[in-house]
Amino acid sequence: MNATADTPHRVSISLAGRARIALRIAAMLGMLFVCVPLYYVWRLLRLHNPWPRIFLGSVGRIAGARPRIVGAPSRKGAFLLSNHVSWLDIPVISGASGSAFVAHSGLADVGPLKWLCDMNDTVFVARHERRSVHTQVEQVRTAISDTGALTIFPEGTTSDGTGLLPFKSSLLSALDPPPPGIAIQPVWLDYGVDVPAMAWVGDEPGLDNFLKILARGRNLPVTIHFLPPLTAPESANRKIMASAARDRILAAMAAATSPDRSI
């Protein structure tokens, strides 16, 4: 994942930080060993499978995230359009909504990661291969049917969390037009004053960002704002959709910084 801000100075990790990393990774592996067998049991029994959501939500909490939810994902099924700050966004959103995710097809080349992604119905998108759009539409509909929600990060990369990059309407091709009965719902992840310390920006490698967050001594509050779904006119096509969703998130960000805190 590429960054959009100036490259941050690489911070060394203290001995205490290294101990926290080791303990948190051990706890995540423990959750993995518990959740994977139960996932396959539920799959064999053809039951609604809660274990990807439980696992990812637990990963977020183990990493120090302390989510607070404002609003709720649409009950009839939702395509969530969210800002993107760090890898932590994925467990935070999944824990709050059970959402699957749209990911770049390059991730499918990483065997263990693809295995985990497949369990959560991840849709792998070849962004520059127009011929794959029809297949992607079918994958999107299947993922929403299985999980109730599917999340994409329309900025196309991570930002520093203090603003919002332009939304790339090309990433919404599989939703043009939206599947019948599916809400298009903007989501704003607000990490508050701690966002500069955890955002994945510059040329920072993903592993460094992962370890930096795990090394933190303090918890990381995050508010997940499920904003009102887009109206039919706002979902007319992917360009209008991208603009309307971005405007809604920007309005929420502006309201949160206003004196009356009206969000």
Side-chain angles (χ1 to χ4, degrees):
M1 188 161 303
N2 295 324
T4 56
D6 292 337
T7 303
H9 177 68
R10 193 167 182 175
V11 179
S12 61
I13 298 175
S14 68
L15 184 60
R18 292 175 186 273
R20 283 189 286 268
I21 289 171
L23 289 172
R24 283 171 167 161
I25 289 178
M28 290 177 185
L29 289 174
M31 282 301 303
L32 183 67
F33 292 143
V34 169
C35 291
V36 167
L38 292 171
Y39 165 85
Y40 284 110
V41 170
W42 259 247
R43 184 175 175 180
L44 285 171
L45 296 175
R46 299 192 178 187
L47 299 172
H48 172 69
N49 213 316
W51 297 104
R53 178 177 185 172
I54 292 170
F55 172 69
L56 287 170
S58 298
V59 165
R61 291 194 66 84
I62 290 168
R66 294 298 178 264
R68 182 175 75 92
I69 298 173
V70 176
S74 174
R75 292 184 178 181
K76 63 180 181 179
F79 197 96
L80 307 177
L81 309 182
S82 174
N83 64 312
H84 196 15
V85 180
S86 167
W87 64 271
L88 193 59
D89 303 344
I90 291 172
V92 163
I93 292 174
S94 182
S97 66
S99 177
F101 294 85
V102 173
H104 189 275
S105 56
L107 291 178
D109 297 331
V110 183
L113 185 57
K114 183 181 186 300
W115 170 64
L116 289 172
C117 289
D118 283 343
M119 283 194 284
N120 197 45
D121 295 309
T122 298
V123 176
F124 293 103
V125 173
R127 294 177 185 170
H128 303 296
E129 189 177 330
R130 296 290 182 183
R131 292 172 300 174
S132 68
V133 169
H134 177 73
T135 301
Q136 291 166 15
V137 170
E138 295 307 315
Q139 290 175 327
V140 163
R141 291 175 177 170
T142 299
I144 292 179
S145 174
D146 289 348
T147 65
L150 183 67
T151 299
I152 192 168
F153 301 109
E155 292 168 291
T157 186
T158 50
S159 72
D160 65 6
T162 62
L164 198 61
L165 299 173
F167 280 10
K168 298 180 178 179
S169 63
S170 60
L171 298 180
L172 307 181
S173 296
L175 288 183
D176 194 359
I182 298 300
I184 311 298
Q185 188 170 19
V187 175
W188 173 37
L189 298 178
D190 178 15
Y191 289 94
V193 297
D194 281 332
V195 71
M198 56 77 64
W200 182 3
V201 293
D203 293 326
E204 181 183 29
L207 178 59
D208 285 7
N209 186 261
F210 176 73
L211 296 176
K212 178 176 71 176
I213 290 175
L214 295 193
R216 286 174 55 93
R218 293 184 300 163
N219 289 331
L220 190 61
V222 52
T223 304
I224 309 158
H225 297 267
F226 291 99
L227 304 175
L230 302 185
T231 63
E234 290 173 327
S235 306
N237 60 56
R238 59 187 175 85
K239 291 186 178 181
I240 294 174
M241 199 184 306
S243 177
R246 185 173 185 272
D247 287 346
R248 194 154 294 181
I249 295 174
L250 285 172
M253 295 171 76
T257 58
S258 66
D260 59 4
R261 301 288 293 181
S262 56
I263 260 291

